[in-house]
Amino acid sequence: MMASYEDEPMETSPRELTQNPLRKIWMPYKNGLPEKHIPQRKVCMTNCPTLIVMVGLPARGKTYISKKLTRYLNWIGVPTKEFNVGQYRRECLKIYKNFEFFRPDNEEGLTIRRQCALTALNDVREYLGVEGGQVAVFDATNTTRERRNTIMKFAEQNEYKVFFVESVCEDPNIIAENIVQVKLGSPDYIDCNTEEAIEDFMKRIKCYENSYQSLDEVLDRALSYIKIMDVGRRYLVNRVQDHIQSRIVYYLMNIHITPRSIYLCRHGESDLNMKGRIGGDSGLSSRGKEFAQCLNHFIQEQNIKDLKVWTSQMKRTIQTAEALSMPYEQWKALNEIDAGVCEDMTYEEIQDHYPQEFALRDQDKYRYRYPKGESYEDLVQRLEPVIMELERQENVLVVCHQAVMRCLLAYFLDKSADELPYLKCPLHSVLKLTPVAYGCKVESIFLNVEAVNTHRDKPENVNISRLAKEALFTVPAHQ
Amino acid sequence: MNSGEGCSEEIPLPSSPRELTQNPLKKIWIPCKNGLPEKHIFQRKVCMTNCPTLIVTVGLPARGKTYISKKLTRYLNWIGVPTKEFNVGQYRRECVKIYKSFEFFSPDNEEGLKIRKQCASAALNDVRQYLTDEGGQVAVFDATNTTRERRDTITRFAEQNGFKVFFVESVCEDPAVINENIVQVKLGSPDYTHCNTDEAVEDFMKRIKCYENSYQTLDEVLDRDLSYIKIIDVGRRYLVNRVQDHIQSRIVYYLMNIHITPRSIYLCRHGESDMNVKGRIGGDSGLSLRGKDFARRLGQFIQKQDISDLKVWTSQMKRTIQTAEGLNVPYEQWKALNEIDAGVCEEMMYEEIQDHHPLEFALRDQDKYRYRYPKGESYEDLVQRLEPVIMELERQENVLVICHQAVMRCLLAYFLDKSAEELPYLKCPLHTVLKLTPVAYGCKVESIFLNVDAVNTHRDRPENVEVSRMAEEALYTVPAHQ
């Protein structure tokens, strides 16, 4: 062994590494205890919290964007919360009379609205400071430079980065559709009929128009923002500061509001399913093949325009898609969660060979990584490009797997990391997701072909010290 | 076992679904008929556009059009989209052997105009050939294209051929940036081989002036139906109009993440590991003594380099983290940087792979880039997995990436524009740091061996890659190990 080329004094020896048993992450430790070193890198994060500030006249999609963006960021692991000032106003005012509240010469209205904005900002500070939030979305019109300056001063004092998202749109059709979809059902208009509501809302918009100062190329050149024009036909992006802002811009540039439906289902029942085994790459059972035929029938009946079909690269999803007699695309990213050393095992065998792993998984099913395998958390990262492309697309059928489908469903239905691994995604059922208002309508269609149940609930006892039967109590029946 | 109730309506028995067979190289399931794979849907590499795309650069000279063209071409090829750039200036140089002066570009130089128009047409012809006959998917048409008239000609050409068009305009009025541009890439141009610096700069400035009067930038109103991105002041500001499809969306995202701030990227592997010493692949072992020595040297090397704001990235495997621990600086762990998954061959020696999976071993030698280990990955899979790492590397400045052999080959291939054929055979020995510094249109590479011996883990492609070969022929190029 060669000597060092320079004489160096003895340095402190590098720290020993220990592998966290749940997530299988190697971390340095001292005196037998893991050191609080670098946090697991989930997404390349910004160092300081980010305040996203919406800008735009009423009915320009600000709340739609706020909610969608919040849902996306939470799903990829960035703790995010939206703060809708209209909500604060409703809590303050209790009863909404009419548009006159928003008149620029209504002193009392102005005072209340200002107060609500400040209260919301206070809650933002609490969320980003004490509650561990990373991104806050401040959803209000913020149409004057004065209001935006106030917000920026607030952000500066608290050391938040600010990123503005402005939505500009003058297409009367879009505005009308917006009002129909989300305003008519608003608590503000509960006691009005449709015509009254629309008329009042149009006057409300008018109240803002005169004082509206759009983000300006020159005056606002030092700000970081994206200006979305005509629902995504055109974008102006100024001074993206960091990774998270870059991801936000990419996301906002990929979403659209064209009506469409997303169909999610698993492959047909497989031979391994019937034996109660996880993972592997087996083919369909006879019932699974029957399901594939029924799926074909179902899809044809739905008469979907320009349907894209996606599968994983595992035999069982491809076999299922083959029955559709339609072109399909195979995505490796849609492969089932890799169970590592537990691949092809039954739960009973896992309890037998790896009782500790089995218990750890029940303790934190989202973050638990199989030895030499993956976690749900890993899955989400793997699936992010799939979600991005689903956002770009229109009608799509995704034929995938249990854990994968849970992750995708959690994204569309805004389910937390704790709920995600226990979402019910039974075999031979198709979920039809249709975006509506601020969320997603879900229709569940069971295609009437029996299949084993593969859903294992969280057992009561998740301690490593538990008995085998306590661990296996919730295992579904199988051959 | 019940067969269930069946579907709700009587339907005639459909033709039975096709049987599936697994392609032995890529482990992709494809339908087959009479035992032969059917030509069905190709493996989805990147969600592709259906028709070829013509990217058209727009901008005055020295606005970075060629820089962007070459970089974008390199990126698209790396992610698996066959792309080629067509630099009209290059065509002009082939046509007009000797460049005299800026007067060639004078707007009232009839002969000059004629030649330049011809060159553009010749280039477009080659574009058509590339996209139609040669299997190309994206062509980057790199020229000033500063008049609406010229752009209309190109748009018509694309329409006739069924190509989508996406414009990339670069607008910049910062004299410092333009100067630096001229110094970096114009002075060394064949056009200015016989000039000294001042002469070259003066002539080039006059050249730019020739274009300025007729420059019609992409207009918000007049060009509202075109698909384009306008890059203003080297990325301070972007205007994006009518993105049509996935590939354009990816191009926009990429262009919005690149920058020209000088910086260096350091690539190296973990220190020698216990498995390395035994000639085993994969696994999650720790560093050997020599590997630990390397980690210390790496720490010293990094300190000496005195790098401003260095970020350090590792994989989530023990050996890279152990190496980073030797640096005494914060580091980030990326699962995406994990070594290629060798599936059933994990922790085997090449001799054992030959013994247990001789067919697999031969297939791998036949097409090392596309070959996927059973229950494992291919280099092609690796590239897809590493794309977010590359994207973040583009955003960052000084970074040290401590990774693995196959991973490092993929990253290196991106920076040095290596083909899929070359990639899996790039030399990335242990205990050697590669310092990559962007310069002009490419990357300067410095290789620094940190003077700690290690086993060689590089296995060259053997001569005989046939499935029928003998064991010794397969093992001929295996490097020595314990």
Side-chain angles (χ1 to χ4, degrees), chain A residues 44-52 152 155 159-164 220-226 237-249, chain B residues 235-238 256-257 259 311 392 395-397:
Chain A
C44 194
M45 272 326 300
T46 179
N47 292 330
C48 54
T50 303
L51 177 60
I52 297 175
M152 285 196 297
E159 292 186 336
Y160 307 147
K161 288 186 182 174
V162 182
F163 188 75
F164 293 94
D220 299 305
R221 64 185 172 282
L223 303 182
S224 295
Y225 65 86
I226 177 170
V237 180
N238 200 61
R239 289 191 187 260
V240 170
Q241 300 174 48
D242 59 18
H243 176 93
I244 194 67
Q245 291 181 17
S246 161
R247 293 286 287 277
I248 289 165
V249 164
Chain B
R236 178 144 303 167
R237 192 175 170 73
Y238 304 91
M256 289 177 57
N257 280 318
H259 66 78
K311 298 262 167 83
E392 190 54 25
R395 287 197 57 78
Q396 291 290 340
E397 292 182 19

Side-chain angles (χ1 to χ4, degrees), chain A residues 202-230:
Chain A
M202 292 306 223
K203 290 187 183 143
R204 204 154 117 177
I205 296 178
K206 276 247 163 301
C207 296
Y208 287 87
E209 278 179 359
N210 285 344
S211 60
Y212 183 14
Q213 293 166 305
S214 178
L215 287 170
D216 183 80
E217 203 172 304
V218 178
L219 295 172
D220 299 305
R221 64 185 172 282
L223 303 182
S224 295
Y225 65 86
I226 177 170
K227 190 188 282 215
I228 305 169
M229 289 164 271
D230 292 328

